[in-house]
Amino acid sequence: MREKKNHLYVDSEERKLLLHSLVGLKNQLIQQGRYTDCVDELIIKVIHAPVKKLRVEMAGRSDV
């Protein structure tokens, strides 16, 4: 059976916050002397993730 894939859509500010948090986690793991392989893979995935333009519409808008 195939693994279920999850997609995460974030804007540029959320992407920056995500990268900043992952780098902070990596630094904590380094200070503790633990492996950072998983965090490194996530950082690379976030950096190389394709940009997809989405149209977002507000629910309940009356001026349509």
Side-chain angles (χ1 to χ4, degrees):
M1 182 176 232
R2 297 178 84 178
E3 272 189 45
K4 182 179 177 184
K5 288 188 178 184
N6 294 314
H7 298 275
L8 178 66
Y9 296 100
V10 296
D11 63 16
S12 61
E13 288 297 316
E14 292 169 335
R15 185 174 182 261
K16 281 192 266 186
L17 181 63
L18 180 60
L19 283 172
H20 185 22
S21 299
L22 287 172
V23 170
L25 176 61
K26 180 179 176 177
N27 290 336
Q28 286 178 355
L29 292 174
I30 290 171
Q31 287 176 350
Q32 295 172 5
R34 296 171 62 189
Y35 292 109
T36 61
D37 299 341
C38 294
V39 178
D40 292 336
E41 288 178 22
L42 280 174
I43 290 172
I44 290 170
K45 284 183 179 185
V46 170
I47 290 173
H48 294 295
V51 175
K52 185 174 185 178
K53 303 245 181 189
L54 296 175
R55 183 175 178 186
V56 178
E57 294 184 16
M58 299 289 287
R61 280 182 82 178
S62 61
D63 62 342
V64 177

